[in-house]
Amino acid sequence: MTFLWPKMLLWLLIAPVLIGAYVWILRRKKKEALRYTSVALVKAAIGPGQVFRRHLPPLIFLLALIAAIVAMARPTAVITLPSQQQTIILAIDVSLSMGARDVDPNRITAAQAAAKTFVSEHPADVKIGIVAFGATASLVQPPTRNREELIEAIDRFQLQRGTATGSALYVALSTLFPEAGIDLESLVFAGGLTRNGARGARLDPARKPDTKDVKAVAPGSYSSAAIILMSDGRRTTGPDPLDAAKMAADHGVRVFTIGFGTAEGGTIGFEGWSAYVRLDEETLKAIADVTRAEYFYAGTATDLAKVYQALNAKFVLEKKDTEISALLIAVAALMVLVSAALSLLWFNRIA
């Protein structure tokens, strides 16, 4: 637990003062009781149960006061709450390397199966959109609650040459924020082909993508949407994915990334051609880090299914740093009422 206004906790010093005052009052009443002819007769009349009842209401009231002071310090705690996600964009790599048969029957089939399971098991009130990316990126299914349309869109994936990871993120953001004026034409084609597969190199460094100025918000603060990006290779064309990740962070959108394939890289063959492919974990991790999300590695079809299952659970229930002042105030008010009720019930007075 942390506190937004920790200095307010200094008011807790009033608690020992009140305890001392209460003990002083009890001792004063005890001296007055000595005037009776027989104190033993008074104690016998009161009984041990009455002694306990006598101190319980003040104790509850003191605890209520402490709870109220702690609430004034605005405590926050990490608690699990129902997710507020309303729209999720699945951005899935459909580059030719996804045809590799190092998983059974091949990578793209395993990715399709995992994505369809994710769609089927997700809560029905959440919209899901699908972006497929190879040399270009396109929205193959606008956000919808219709699970049949989503599964049909996943089944229609066609493999393409190239891997435009940055383009996929820009298309996903344009889908989530249609009124933000995101200029896909200038953004998607600003990066061009990379030199020797190096991430972030532009053929025309002088050309800058055109986009409207956005009032940046805290990364990860937009709770109504998220992007899940799955790729098995490194960017070979299109804009720098980290530029796109920065735009996502400025909009508060988290981008969860999944690396599917071998980090060491290797030569794969598909329908008569061969190519060297390597998973760019560094970039995928950076994308997730910039947007305050998480990176997941999946080396097999089983791993990929487990990653999607974990993401499904994360989007249903999320751990959030939440202020709990209202909860403590409610507890304090309840204890005050209990204290007053017990005083009225046992002693016919509030004290």
Side-chain angles (χ1 to χ4, degrees), residues 28-39 42:
R28 183 178 178 183
K29 290 184 176 181
K30 185 177 180 180
K31 290 180 180 179
E32 294 178 354
L34 292 177
R35 299 175 183 176
Y36 286 93
T37 306
S38 176
V39 176
V42 175

Side-chain angles (χ1 to χ4, degrees), residues 185-254:
E185 183 176 357
S186 63
L187 288 168
V188 168
F189 294 104
L193 296 173
T194 58
R195 297 188 181 93
N196 302 320
R199 175 187 58 75
R202 289 194 177 96
L203 295 183
D204 184 6
R207 183 180 179 185
K208 298 294 182 180
D210 298 324
T211 185
K212 290 184 178 181
D213 291 334
V214 176
K215 184 178 180 180
V217 299
S221 62
Y222 188 71
S223 60
S224 297
I227 299 171
I228 300 175
L229 174 74
M230 194 223 73
S231 178
D232 75 332
R234 65 189 312 165
R235 168 224 180 193
T236 60
T237 186
D240 187 342
L242 288 185
D243 288 344
K246 179 62 168 60
M247 178 180 284
D250 288 344
H251 284 80
V253 176
R254 291 178 297 169

Side-chain angles (χ1 to χ4, degrees), residues 91-108:
I92 300 178
D93 190 343
V94 294
S95 59
L96 285 176
S97 60
M98 289 292 289
R101 299 181 183 278
D102 53 350
V103 296
D104 188 28
N106 53 50
R107 292 184 183 180
I108 188 62

Side-chain angles (χ1 to χ4, degrees), residues 23 78 188:
V23 172
V78 177
V188 168

